[in-house]
């Protein structure tokens, strides 16, 4: 276990889901992008840092396969408890996406990242994150990124974040085309505005 995973474990150990700064009830911003993807309900979807997000309920369909990852074993444990005994197609992972991930994570149709990538601040780990995504996503697959925008907060969960705009995201995605992008202000549980950029990309080669 490294320092980063300990940091996140501590947060998930001591904080009720609804008090987490990124807690959301309304997933329409992500669902709107998913709805632009043909047959997304029959896809293999990788969620990069799932936390304890209720998004999982929204993307669980009889023919979806979910690969649910988080650096925090505690978050994964909490979410596993919730789905214990159900027969959904779910694979659980506890990987730091700033480091190489196992090569058997592949054939992903859709990669979803809400508020995970922006915690990577070192150029090497950002590069590794995109390598991980690229090697596990099929050509023709899609990636959704929802990150703090340039006008967004500079910190979250006590950590510095790297903020993004379309240009900066696209720079890391030379073999992708942007299908959709939108600025969106999330209001956090304390009532504070948190500006995000929401994007949908398609891998073209
Ligand atoms: C702000 S939370 C967002 C959680 C979830 N995506 C959501 O929208 O509710 C960030 C999540 O990313 C995870 N995380 C942070 N750094 C990570 C990394 N390097 N690799 C994988 N997961 C990471 C954290 O444990 C945490 O669950």
């Amino acid at each position: 276990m490294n320092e980063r995973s300990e940091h996140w474990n501590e947060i998930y150990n001591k904080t009720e889901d609804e008090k987490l700064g990124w807690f959301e009830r309304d997933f329409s911003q992500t669902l709107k992008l998913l709805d632009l993807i043909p047959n997304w309900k029959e896809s293999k979807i990788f969620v990069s840092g799932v936390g304890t997000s209720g998004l999982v309920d929204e993307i669980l369909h009889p023919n979806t396969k979910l690969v649910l990852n988080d650096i925090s074993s505690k978050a994964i444990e909490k979410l596993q408890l919730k789905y214990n005994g159900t027969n959904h197609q779910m694979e659980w992972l506890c990987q730091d996406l700033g480091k190489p991930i196992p090569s058997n994570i592949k054939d992903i149709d859709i990669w979803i990242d809400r508020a995970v990538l922006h915690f990577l601040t070192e150029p090497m780990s950002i590069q590794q994150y995109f390598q991980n995504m690229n090697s596990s996503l099929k050509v023709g697959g899609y990636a959704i990124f929802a990150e703090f925008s340039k006008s967004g907060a500079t910190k979250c969960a006590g950590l510095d974040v790297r903020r993004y705009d379309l240009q900066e995201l696209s720079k890391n995605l030379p073999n992708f085309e942007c299908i959709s992008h939108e600025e969106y202000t999330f209001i956090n549980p304390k009532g504070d505005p948190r500006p995000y950029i929401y994007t949908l990309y398609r891998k073209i080669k």
Side-chain angles (χ1 to χ4, degrees):
M1 202 193 290
N2 65 28
E3 215 179 290
R4 265 303 155 105
S5 49
E6 274 174 31
H7 175 84
W8 287 103
N9 277 345
E10 204 183 314
I11 290 177
Y12 285 111
N13 259 324
K14 69 173 190 214
T15 322
E16 285 168 38
D17 288 354
E18 300 187 7
K19 299 215 168 107
L20 294 167
W22 50 90
F23 175 79
E24 60 177 356
R25 280 184 205 286
D26 175 6
F27 302 94
S28 49
Q29 203 59 28
T30 300
L31 292 172
K32 195 163 85 178
L33 293 179
L34 281 171
D35 283 337
L36 297 176
I37 303 173
N39 304 322
W40 74 263
K41 292 179 186 164
E42 278 144 40
S43 303
K44 186 169 174 185
I45 303 178
F46 183 96
V47 186
S48 66
V50 63
T52 50
S53 176
L55 176 69
V56 176
D57 290 334
E58 306 287 328
I59 59 176
L60 263 184
H61 292 279
N63 295 325
T64 45
K65 289 191 186 115
L66 300 186
V67 183
L68 302 169
N69 180 64
D70 204 282
I71 197 172
S72 162
S73 54
K74 183 65 196 177
I76 292 294
E77 207 180 284
K78 279 186 161 183
L79 211 53
Q80 274 176 329
L81 265 181
K82 181 172 170 189
Y83 296 103
N84 209 357
T86 65
N87 57 359
H88 296 295
Q89 301 186 72
M90 290 171 150
E91 193 181 326
W92 303 94
L93 291 172
C94 190
Q95 297 288 323
D96 177 348
L97 293 174
K99 303 203 168 121
I101 60 173
S103 57
N104 64 351
I105 304 166
K106 56 182 185 188
D107 297 330
I108 301 295
D109 298 301
I110 304 172
W111 178 282
I112 302 180
D113 184 307
R114 173 178 179 263
V116 183
L117 167 66
H118 65 210
F119 287 104
L120 298 175
T121 53
E122 298 300 322
M124 289 294 283
S125 51
I126 295 170
Q127 198 186 346
Q128 185 61 58
Y129 173 98
F130 282 105
Q131 260 179 41
N132 289 333
M133 189 223 36
N134 218 348
S135 61
S136 44
L137 194 66
K138 283 180 187 166
V139 173
Y142 293 80
I144 291 174
F145 297 103
E147 315 302 333
F148 279 1
S149 73
K150 291 285 185 186
S151 60
T154 54
K155 276 187 167 274
C156 179
L159 299 169
D160 289 334
V161 301
R162 183 181 182 96
R163 298 174 298 171
Y164 283 89
D165 57 16
L166 185 64
Q167 201 188 1
E168 185 123 19
L169 276 169
S170 300
K171 216 168 58 187
N172 291 293
L173 297 160
N175 50 335
F176 285 71
E177 63 178 350
C178 180
I179 307 285
S180 180
H181 61 95
E182 190 180 8
E183 301 272 337
Y184 168 74
T185 301
F186 167 67
I187 305 297
N188 77 10
K190 287 188 176 153
D192 299 326
R194 289 286 178 266
Y196 276 73
I197 178 167
Y198 270 76
T199 59
L200 172 67
Y201 286 87
R202 181 168 172 270
K203 183 173 173 179
I204 50 176
K205 57 183 177 192

